[in-house]
Amino acid sequence: MKPDAVRGHLDALILATLEKGALHGYAVMQALRESSGGALELPTGSLYPALRRLERAGYVRSEWRMVGGRRRRTYELTAAGRRALDTERSEWRDFAAVVEGVLRPGTASS
Amino acid sequence: MKPDAVRGHLDALILATLEKGALHGYAVMQALRESSGGALELPTGSLYPALRRLERAGYVRSEWRMVGGRRRRTYELTAAGRRALDTERSEWRDFAAVVEGVLRPGTASS
DNA sequence: GCACATTATGTAGATTGGCTACATGAAGCC
DNA sequence: GGCTTCATGTAGCCAATCTACATAATGTGC
């Protein structure tokens, strides 16, 4: 998968990952890798800034915790985040349908 | 549809549009608008640079024509362009499957 | 003949979001 | 003691799309 393909859809992926419950950044990375069957290997330089962006936007809320001397910042969806996820889902469906329609071969008279 | 959503997939859309036959830039715009049911309104500042990029990459070949005193640059897929389109199609399928899988709700135990 | 929409091509510059590469540090394991 | 994994983050780069602008001919309505 080309690196930039996810562009514009990463927020949706992260929000969906957090839908099931609060997670810290590293765990989001792992969850995304797993739920994508290994296809999504988010570098930390993509993930952490994205999470902060989502927080600035009010879609997630974060909280520091110390677990065994290790600091963890756990992220949790806000109500606005849930609404944003709904929007992202329907936008994805629209977008996918459009691309699918254009890409589908054999629509021409040929 | 948010303006940047197409990011990373525009090449595929343009190549697919040219698959049915050579078109000039403006006609590509119209064809894309039509085949997307009006969802894709490509600004010229996206389309023309994209076409030149595809040409530099060797995926399309262009030719000037004068039609009724009006200059037209028609673009045509090359063999490499057809191969690229195949690749784009399969990459799209992979990508869409991944996003679909992550976005699908209710995969959790919840 | 004049104004305005449409057809047609293009560039300059801003934006933006994901990437690479780097930096830090603790815990776990051998 | 050394290596891997867990964990968080920043600085700066880059590419692709967008906005806004510039140009010019044809078609249409009056």
Side-chain angles (χ1 to χ4, degrees):
Chain A
M1 177 138 35
K2 67 175 72 156
D4 264 4
V6 75
R7 183 136 195 168
H9 307 283
L10 183 58
D11 290 4
L13 299 177
I14 293 175
L15 292 176
T17 302
L18 290 174
E19 193 183 25
K20 304 160 197 170
L23 289 176
H24 61 282
Y26 197 84
V28 171
M29 242 170 63
Q30 292 175 312
L32 230 28
R33 178 168 54 219
E34 201 178 337
S35 67
S36 69
L40 283 175
E41 291 277 358
L42 278 201
T44 68
S46 303
L47 179 68
Y48 290 109
L51 283 169
R52 315 206 81 208
R53 192 158 32 79
L54 289 171
E55 186 166 27
R56 270 202 313 280
Y59 296 155
V60 301
R61 173 193 314 126
S62 74
E63 190 191 350
W64 280 106
R65 281 183 210 160
M66 289 305 279
V67 179
R70 205 176 252 161
R71 57 184 192 143
R72 281 184 175 177
R73 186 155 168 169
T74 53
Y75 292 88
E76 183 181 16
L77 275 192
T78 62
R82 275 172 208 287
R83 285 194 297 276
L85 177 54
D86 282 348
T87 307
E88 294 276 7
R89 277 201 173 104
S90 86
E91 278 176 359
W92 163 259
R93 275 191 291 270
D94 293 349
F95 170 68
V98 163
V99 175
E100 220 85 53
V102 175
L103 244 48
R104 177 162 300 128
T107 333
S109 51
S110 84
Chain B
M1 178 139 36
K2 67 176 73 158
D4 264 5
V6 72
R7 184 131 198 168
H9 308 282
L10 183 57
D11 289 6
L13 298 177
I14 294 176
L15 292 175
T17 302
L18 289 173
E19 192 183 24
K20 306 159 195 171
L23 290 175
H24 60 285
Y26 197 83
V28 170
M29 242 170 62
Q30 293 175 311
L32 229 29
R33 179 168 51 218
E34 202 177 339
S35 67
S36 70
L40 282 174
E41 292 277 359
L42 276 201
T44 67
S46 302
L47 179 68
Y48 290 110
L51 283 168
R52 316 204 80 208
R53 191 161 29 83
L54 289 171
E55 185 166 28
R56 271 204 310 282
Y59 296 155
V60 302
R61 173 193 313 126
S62 74
E63 190 192 351
W64 279 105
R65 281 184 207 156
M66 290 306 278
V67 178
R70 205 176 254 163
R71 58 184 190 143
R72 280 184 177 177
R73 187 155 167 169
T74 53
Y75 292 87
E76 183 181 16
L77 275 192
T78 63
R82 275 173 207 288
R83 283 194 298 276
L85 177 53
D86 282 350
T87 307
E88 294 275 8
R89 278 203 173 102
S90 85
E91 277 176 0
W92 164 259
R93 275 190 290 270
D94 292 348
F95 170 67
V98 163
V99 175
E100 220 86 53
V102 175
L103 244 48
R104 178 162 301 126
T107 333
S109 52
S110 80

